[in-house]
Amino acid sequence: MTHEVFMTTVVANNEVTKARAVLRGFTEIRERHRLTRVRHLTPGAKGLPAIKDLQKERGPNAQVWQELHQIFTRQSYIIQDRVDVTDEALSAISTGGPVNIGQGKMHRLRFTDLPDVVSNRNPPTNTQRKVIEINDSRMDKILAQNKFVTKNEYIEESYHWWYNGLEYALVQTLPVPAGTDLDNHIPNLAGVTNWPPFAILFVRIQVESTPDGMQQAHARLENARKALIGVFDFKIIDRRTHDTRIMEPRQV
């Protein structure tokens, strides 16, 4: 089992350039720029209807799919399907027109559980939650076979740095015009304004869900927070902010 431990803060649009410069200096590495197509999907059935087909493959993901099947049998969640479209998006900006998405691109399914209740032993600015990620180039087909429905989609623009085992990710959301076919091509994003009008800075790490692993993750994040005091003000966040569960309506 894997947990993600992270802390966040908001960076205003007019502070993003400064924040990037600070993080380049702090980590002493060049930033990595990414553009990602993100879909949010909801299940149309209990569990995974095609779980038997996924288990027959006996690949490295078979056990993970079984775990997700058990989770979705008990509770419905919103999940993400993520595809790196950096090359296509930058090409569309360069040429001024839409660019086709190549076939067979790797997708990443991302599931995150309701964060754990904050423990008095951990810094209050830290959040921890169970996370499951599966990479598969056939994800579109798998999600369709298992009755998932797209609720919304957008392009995520992000800048990444790594230092002392932690990832620093400055993330913005770029909306796309209604009717844009992101299944097949990426539009020219030049001039598209991010919404909401700010970026989120994540400082995060994924670790095995063991007491030692979790303790070390919290310690690393707290050290990073202290090192950045006066530059970034990491917030105490209600865990329900990151709740991806879909609550069933109560029966009257």
Side-chain angles (χ1 to χ4, degrees):
M1 183 184 301
T2 301
H3 263 69
E4 179 179 65
V5 188
F6 63 98
M7 57 185 182
T8 62
T9 191
V10 173
V11 178
N13 273 356
N14 61 358
E15 294 290 326
V16 167
T17 300
K18 177 182 176 182
R20 288 168 56 191
V22 167
L23 290 166
R24 281 196 299 268
F26 179 69
T27 61
E28 297 183 334
I29 68 169
R30 182 180 298 177
E31 67 191 16
R32 181 175 296 178
H33 182 207
R34 289 178 181 164
L35 291 133
T36 305
R37 182 234 183 153
V38 181
R39 286 193 297 162
H40 288 174
L41 302 103
T42 57
K46 286 289 185 182
L48 301 177
I51 184 61
K52 291 184 179 180
D53 292 331
L54 293 168
Q55 290 174 326
K56 287 178 182 177
E57 297 179 6
R58 299 186 181 277
N61 290 331
Q63 185 175 352
V64 186
W65 282 118
Q66 177 61 30
E67 183 179 1
L68 277 178
H69 171 64
Q70 293 172 349
I71 290 170
F72 287 126
T73 298
R74 298 189 301 266
Q75 172 71 54
S76 294
Y77 290 82
I78 298 171
I79 62 171
Q80 288 187 6
D81 173 43
R82 304 174 62 85
V83 185
D84 186 342
V85 293
T86 304
D87 291 343
E88 291 86 349
L90 294 180
S91 179
I93 292 173
S94 176
T95 61
V99 171
N100 291 337
I101 298 176
Q103 297 297 313
K105 290 185 72 70
M106 186 63 69
H107 289 236
R108 172 170 291 179
L109 179 148
R110 179 172 166 86
F111 161 83
T112 56
D113 207 344
L114 173 69
D116 300 335
V117 175
V118 177
S119 168
N120 292 332
R121 298 188 302 271
N122 299 327
T125 51
N126 292 357
T127 300
Q128 65 179 50
R129 61 185 175 185
K130 179 179 179 180
V131 60
I132 296 175
E133 294 179 328
I134 301 176
N135 296 327
D136 199 311
S137 60
R138 305 164 302 155
M139 193 62 71
D140 279 337
K141 179 180 179 181
I142 293 171
L143 291 171
Q145 289 175 335
N146 286 281
K147 311 298 184 184
F148 281 92
V149 178
T150 300
K151 302 305 292 185
N152 61 66
E153 57 185 340
Y154 53 87
I155 300 296
E156 178 183 281
E157 183 170 27
S158 55
Y159 298 89
H160 302 258
W161 304 260
W162 290 266
Y163 180 68
N164 194 27
L166 300 176
E167 179 190 14
Y168 297 74
L170 193 60
V171 179
Q172 296 174 299
T173 299
L174 304 179
V176 294
T180 301
D181 180 17
L182 290 179
D183 286 335
N184 297 305
H185 68 263
I186 297 297
N188 179 7
L189 299 171
V192 175
T193 303
N194 62 301
W195 185 262
F198 53 79
I200 300 291
L201 173 61
F202 291 87
V203 183
R204 58 198 179 194
I205 183 173
Q206 289 190 14
V207 295
E208 290 298 315
S209 306
T210 63
D212 286 346
M214 302 289 283
Q215 183 178 5
Q216 291 176 20
H218 282 287
R220 286 188 178 186
L221 284 171
E222 180 62 4
N223 288 338
R225 186 192 67 81
K226 290 178 178 177
L228 292 168
I229 287 177
V231 182
F232 297 112
D233 181 19
F234 292 97
K235 303 297 185 182
I236 298 174
I237 304 296
D238 189 318
R239 70 188 186 116
R240 290 170 294 185
T241 303
H242 301 287
D243 190 359
T244 60
R245 296 174 301 172
I246 301 172
M247 306 310 294
E248 300 293 338
R250 293 185 177 180
Q251 299 295 325
V252 179

